[in-house]
Amino acid sequence: MGANYAQYLKAVKEAEAYPGPSIIIAYAPCIAHGIKGGMSQTMTSEKEAVQSGYWTLYRFNPALEKEGKNPFVIDSKEPDFDKFIDYIKGQVRFSALQKTIGEEKANEIYKAAEENAKWRYKQYRLHQAMDYSSI
């Protein structure tokens, strides 16, 4: 919701309209994340998660396939992965790694997480590029 309220409403309406089971997968920060600034910053955190590439807004509507359209749609803008590590360091669950395993090892984990996020986004882009017009 914090990243794009209109996309959130569209996803909920689409899920409700689908004539079968629907699942909504959402990023919801919790107190265990240790967001700097506290739980009053969850909406901002959600927005930053999307902007940094930590989380991608997308929808999958199987009904679109029958119309010859791709059922997988990315709704968020291209992420700025330069913000990724700063985003995760803004949460105690990640920043605490530096204290527990040392800065060098923590930075390796942060970089691996960033690379995984880039890979995941690339996979989403491949799914979105699929042609369903002849199916």
Side-chain angles (χ1 to χ4, degrees):
M1 281 188 341
N4 184 331
Y5 192 72
Q7 188 273 348
Y8 160 75
L9 287 177
K10 189 173 188 176
V12 170
K13 287 179 182 179
E14 205 170 74
E16 277 188 346
Y18 185 72
S22 297
I23 297 173
I24 296 176
I25 301 170
Y27 176 65
C30 72
I31 198 161
H33 291 181
I35 299 168
K36 293 182 181 170
M39 290 301 292
S40 65
Q41 299 301 312
T42 58
M43 298 290 264
T44 301
S45 180
E46 291 167 0
K47 184 176 183 176
E48 291 171 350
V50 171
Q51 289 173 339
S52 69
Y54 182 82
W55 189 262
T56 303
L57 299 178
Y58 63 88
R59 291 172 292 113
F60 183 86
N61 182 353
L64 293 177
E65 188 174 345
K66 292 176 183 151
E67 300 173 21
K69 298 177 184 174
N70 189 328
F72 186 85
V73 178
I74 297 174
D75 290 322
S76 48
K77 295 177 183 174
E78 186 86 20
D80 181 356
F81 287 106
D82 290 337
K83 297 178 179 180
F84 184 88
I85 292 177
D86 287 338
Y87 172 73
I88 63 174
K89 282 184 173 181
Q91 298 181 25
V92 174
R93 63 183 176 147
F94 292 111
S95 63
L97 287 175
Q98 293 177 316
K99 295 175 186 169
T100 57
I101 63 173
E103 189 171 344
E104 185 177 331
K105 188 67 176 164
N107 285 335
E108 288 176 25
I109 292 171
Y110 299 154
K111 195 66 181 163
E114 180 184 349
E115 292 305 314
N116 181 268
K118 288 177 181 177
W119 176 87
R120 189 172 53 251
Y121 186 73
K122 182 180 175 184
Q123 298 306 307
Y124 291 157
R125 294 290 304 263
L126 290 172
H127 285 294
Q128 182 175 259
M130 292 176 65
D131 181 8
Y132 280 75
S133 61
S134 62
I135 294 177

